[in-house]
């Protein structure tokens, strides 16, 4: 499903300008300022170079500073004198300079910044490529990346005009928005009088919706990410996919015509589409048989190259599908999906818990077992103490006591919690309903303080109708709503919130949902006069995910855009999935 947009759908902005700006700045930094002729990748082994000047282009990470310090100190011991330049991207942090000072090399290196914070991965997808953002902010409470987000939003408003309508929810979203507005006010003249190209912007914290990120993905692009790991818009397909002895790096974006047509498809429909595509391609090749010399010449010069390229891509995606099928059959994927759906709907919780225990005992995967425990915890508003202790003990016995700190991290982040005595799901819902219906009282009780880091998922699910009620079987070939991205079992919470706010043009009427999300003070709307905004720009929406977004959410919002006549643009700190989420919380590195 390439999701052909309606004829009246707005055109997407051209993000190639972002690439050009970043490239020009880097060329200036490297060639004109520092006369750099070669770049070295920061790795565990030292760079071997006879150059008299070394320039390092790095992320502002402590381990990178240690690497550079080791190299500089090794040169000092060898009596070698060189110039050293460190270029930080997207920005320089004081902590990094402190490490250089501690290592005794601060005076030997000079530092600079390359403010490259937005990488266009596709026509509608921008990534900041900051996978560490999730752990840094949502676990450690480190706010250093907030400025990077604000600067990125400021750059977009400078290039594409002001955003007339801003909505957001979450502490990080509110902080980013306030800092961004401060930057706008300081440079008021840059966007004044500009005609907006993008009508709406929506900022969303990842911790508003952990459930969607923890679910197994079943759209093609999501499954490719879960199975092969898509990095910076490209994927490494191994010999099992390429049918050769070599691996191949493939760029996955709208330019790949085969991929563009199946990326948002539910996996059950992909094989049928690829089979039909193969037959059509063969029919185009067979046309050669009846051609005369002139027709054959035109065919070779105009069509053959394109057909060969399409054939190569088709073979790769068929290979990828076969590889995914083998792995998922081996893992008993259907049973896993059935358990997830039961957790989402709140049925057969005992059977689901037994399935998770069996998963742990068979040592299927430490990351997968953690994911299922977290999904159980969030959908049930925390585990009852007996289950929490039992699952934790079994996990540590099965995978090792070194995972103990991981449980502490998951608890702090609100991903795997234990219910307080009396805080069963019914008791929790009772507290919440009392609080939100007793408007006359107008006071804050201690109900929400006892619900800190609780998800209230079941109550939110009922309010927003996240679990569709379907008579008969859900038609995945002709989906009727966003639930198709999870086989018709669940509408992504993040996407439903965006849909509801856009319909209302505010949070009005969603007060109860906001309270259930523990965000009474953290949901905001900022609307300016729309007289300068064209009707086309008002149907263009920028969604900013702080802490990462999944390909399932992207597919769901593309579907919503097609149904409602919107076009969505996605800006994320990084593309994520359930495994990346768990790895970010884990203290045991694979």
């Amino acid at each position: 499903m390439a999701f052909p947009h309606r004829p009246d759908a707005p055109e997407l902005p051209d993000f190639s300008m972002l690439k050009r700006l970043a490239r020009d700045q880097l060329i200036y930094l490297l060639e004109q300022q520092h006369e750099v002729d070669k770049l070295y990748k920061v790795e565990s082994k030292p760079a071997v170079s006879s150059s008299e000047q070394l320039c390092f282009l790095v992320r502002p990470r402590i381990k990178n500073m240690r690497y550079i310090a080791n190299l500089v100190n090794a040169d000092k011991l060898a009596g070698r004198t060189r110039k050293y330049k460190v270029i930080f991207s997207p920005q320089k942090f004081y902590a990094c300079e402190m490490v250089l000072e501690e290592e005794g090399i601060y005076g030997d290196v000079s530092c600079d910044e390359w403010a490259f914070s937005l990488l266009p991965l596709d026509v509608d997808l921008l990534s900041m490529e900051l996978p560490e953002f999730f752990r840094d902010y949502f676990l450690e409470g480190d706010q250093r990346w907030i400025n990077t987000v604000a600067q990125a939003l400021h750059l977009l408003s400078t290039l594409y005009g002001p955003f007339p309508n801003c909505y957001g929810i979450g502490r990080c979203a509110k902080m980013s928005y306030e800092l961004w507005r401060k930057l706008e006010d300081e440079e008021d003249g840059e966007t004044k009088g500009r005609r907006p190209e993008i009508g709406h912007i929506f900022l969303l914290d990842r911790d508003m919706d952990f459930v969607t990120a923890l679910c197994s993905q079943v759209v093609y692009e999501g499954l490719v990410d879960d199975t092969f790991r898509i990095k910076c818009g490209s994927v490494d397909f191994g010999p099992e996919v390429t049918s050769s002895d070599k691996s191949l790096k493939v760029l996955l974006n709208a330019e790949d015509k085969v991929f563009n047509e199946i990326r948002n498809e539910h996996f059950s429909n992909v094989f049928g589409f690829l089979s039909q595509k193969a037959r059509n391609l063969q029919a185009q090749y067979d046309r050669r048989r009846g051609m005369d010399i002139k027709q054959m010449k035109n065919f070779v010069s105009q069509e053959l190259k394109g057909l060969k390229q399409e054939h190569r891509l088709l073979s790769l995606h068929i290979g990828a599908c076969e590889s995914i099928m083998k792995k998922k059959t081996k893992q008993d994927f259907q049973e896993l999906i059935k358990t997830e759906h039961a957790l989402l709907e709140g049925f057969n919780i005992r059977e689901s818990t037994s399935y998770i225990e069996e998963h742990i005992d068979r040592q299927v995967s430490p990351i997968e077992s953690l994911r299922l425990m977290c999904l159980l915890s969030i959908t049930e508003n925390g585990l009852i103490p007996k289950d929490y202790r039992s699952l934790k003990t079994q996990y540590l016995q099965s995978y090792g006591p070194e995972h103990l700190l991981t449980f502490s991290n998951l608890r702090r982040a609100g991903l795997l919690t234990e219910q307080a005595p009396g805080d069963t799901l019914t008791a929790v819902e009772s507290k919440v309903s009392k609080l939100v219906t007793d408007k006359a009282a107008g006071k804050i009780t201690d109900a929400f303080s006892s619900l800190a880091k609780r998800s209230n998922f079941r109550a939110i699910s009922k309010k927003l109708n996240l679990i569709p009620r379907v008579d008969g079987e859900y038609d995945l070939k002709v989906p009727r709503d966003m639930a198709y991205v999870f086989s018709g079992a669940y509408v992504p919470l993040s996407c439903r919130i965006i849909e509801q706010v856009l319909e209302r043009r505010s949070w009005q009427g969603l007060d109860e949902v906001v309270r259930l999300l523990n965000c009474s003070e953290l949901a905001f709307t900022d609307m300016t006069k729309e007289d300068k905004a064209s009707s086309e720009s008002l149907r263009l929406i920028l969604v900013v995910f702080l802490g990462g977004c999944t390909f399932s959410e992207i597919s769901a919002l593309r579907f919503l855009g097609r149904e409602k006549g919107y076009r969505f643009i996605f800006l994320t700190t990084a593309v994520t999935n359930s495994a990346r989420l768990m790895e970010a919380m884990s203290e045991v590195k694979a």
Side-chain angles (χ1 to χ4, degrees), residues 91 128 130 133 145-154 172 176 180 203 544 546 571 573:
Q91 68 184 88
M128 299 180 72
L130 294 173
F133 186 103
W145 296 115
I146 301 288
N147 181 57
T148 311
V149 173
Q151 292 284 0
L153 294 173
H154 179 55
C172 185
S176 301
W180 164 45
L203 288 87
V544 183
L546 300 165
L571 166 57
T573 49

Side-chain angles (χ1 to χ4, degrees), residues 105-270:
I105 66 158
Y106 188 67
D108 301 297
V109 301
S110 53
C111 301
D112 217 327
E113 280 185 0
W114 179 39
F116 179 41
S117 55
L118 292 170
L119 177 64
L121 298 181
D122 211 336
V123 290
D124 61 353
L125 176 58
L126 301 169
S127 175
M128 299 180 72
E129 288 305 305
L130 294 173
E132 61 266 58
F133 186 103
F134 178 72
R135 181 184 172 106
D136 284 353
Y137 182 82
F138 293 102
L139 177 63
E140 309 290 354
D142 189 338
Q143 299 172 8
R144 61 184 172 155
W145 296 115
I146 301 288
N147 181 57
T148 311
V149 173
Q151 292 284 0
L153 294 173
H154 179 55
L155 175 62
L156 285 174
S157 64
T158 303
L159 293 175
Y160 304 105
F163 304 120
N165 306 297
C166 301
Y167 319 97
I169 186 164
R171 191 175 301 280
C172 185
K174 193 165 188 181
M175 288 167 66
S176 301
Y177 167 78
E178 285 170 354
L179 184 54
W180 164 45
R181 279 299 184 216
K182 195 175 174 184
L183 291 173
E184 298 278 293
D185 292 341
E186 285 172 4
E187 300 176 34
D188 198 30
E190 290 198 25
T191 56
K192 217 170 187 179
R194 285 281 306 271
R195 198 179 180 86
E197 287 186 43
I198 299 168
H200 305 268
I201 179 171
F202 202 112
L203 288 87
L204 186 88
D205 281 14
R206 181 70 274 171
D207 67 351
M208 292 299 99
D209 177 18
F210 279 140
V211 170
T212 300
L214 288 170
C215 290
S216 295
Q217 303 191 83
V218 287
V219 291
Y220 179 66
E221 190 168 13
L223 268 170
V224 169
D225 187 39
D226 282 353
T227 310
F228 303 102
R229 290 285 176 112
I230 298 173
K231 295 176 184 174
C232 289
S234 67
V235 66
D236 280 316
F237 284 138
E240 74 279 8
V241 173
T242 60
S243 302
S244 67
D245 56 350
K246 291 179 181 177
S247 293
L248 186 66
K249 189 183 276 287
V250 179
L251 204 59
L252 295 178
N253 58 30
E255 289 179 12
D256 179 339
K257 289 178 184 175
V258 176
F259 174 70
N260 195 43
E261 291 191 69
I262 59 174
R263 67 192 311 176
N264 303 305
E265 255 319 334
H266 189 277
F267 192 66
S268 60
N269 303 328
V270 173

